Structure formats: structure tokens, C-alpha cells
Amino acid sequence: MVDAVNTLRDAAGVPPVSLNAQLTAAAATHSRDMSVQNRPWHFGSDGSSPLDRVKRSGYPGMMLGENISETYETELETLSAWMAKSDTRAVILDPNAKDMGFAWHQDKNGKIWWTLVTGG
């Protein structure tokens, strides 16, 4: 996923991002939590916002954006869907982003909950 994101960023003339462990932890927590809630949205079952989760993860920078999805598609299909919408494309191509976290959680029925978080 990082390679695919950086290919898109390069084509847009913006610097690459690096995979970050803290942002990935925040993304993984949210992917699992969306599954528990059975709804794709940006707030956790404990009322947490994306900013709260990134802060809890210990990330030292500023959280810039979060993309989420509920699908049965692959990561590249999900990335393509995000690139097709202006708001989620802006998160991926944000020139201020330096770091990225990415995670997914798959339910027993095959549904996948995706979370991508950027920071700088």
C-alpha cells in the first residue's frame, strides 16, 4: 500500500510518505473498532476522534487525515475508490504528509475494514 500511495504521490509531484508504526497502530485500532461497531465512521466506540487515537498512539507529529472504508475489495481497489473522491484523494496527496499508517481488519464473513492515517 505504501508503494502504491507513493507512486500516486510521485505522479502528483508531492514527496513520498514513510510507514509509521504509531500511525499504523492507530489505524489498526480503528479498523477493529469499526468492525465491532459494524459501521464505517471516524469516531471510536469510546467517542474518540482520529486526533485522539493518533495522540494515544504516541505519534509525535500532527495528524493530517484519515480515510476509512468498509468493503470486500482488495487494498488496491480500496485505494482506487479513495482516489476517485476528492476528499479522500486529498488525504492521500496532501503535500504536508510525511508519514502514513495503514491497517485493516477482516470479519469472519470476509468484510474488510480499512483505515489509512496521514501525519506530518
Side-chain angles (χ1 to χ4, degrees):
M1 181 59 95
V2 176
D3 290 341
V5 165
N6 281 331
T7 297
L8 294 167
R9 289 176 65 84
D10 184 56
V14 296
V17 291
S18 298
L19 189 63
N20 176 276
Q22 288 99 347
L23 293 178
T24 295
T29 297
H30 193 55
S31 290
R32 283 189 304 274
D33 192 47
M34 285 190 296
S35 170
V36 169
Q37 295 183 72
N38 195 33
R39 63 178 169 177
W41 75 322
H42 293 282
F43 293 93
S45 57
D46 62 356
S48 63
S49 72
L51 292 169
D52 296 329
R53 291 188 296 277
V54 167
K55 185 176 179 181
R56 283 185 207 159
S57 76
Y59 180 68
M62 176 185 281
M63 183 266 184
L64 297 174
E66 179 181 76
N67 287 348
I68 58 172
S69 182
E70 162 198 24
T71 181
Y72 292 92
E73 297 174 339
T74 67
E75 65 272 12
L76 293 180
E77 290 170 313
T78 301
L79 180 58
S80 292
W82 285 335
M83 288 299 290
K85 298 173 94 179
S86 62
D87 58 339
T88 50
R89 181 175 55 249
V91 170
I92 293 164
L93 300 180
D94 183 345
N96 297 313
K98 293 178 176 47
D99 300 308
M100 179 182 112
F102 175 74
W104 54 272
H105 174 81
Q106 188 166 24
D107 292 340
K108 290 179 185 176
N109 68 4
K111 184 188 295 183
I112 305 171
W113 303 86
W114 303 96
T115 307
L116 181 148
V117 183
T118 58

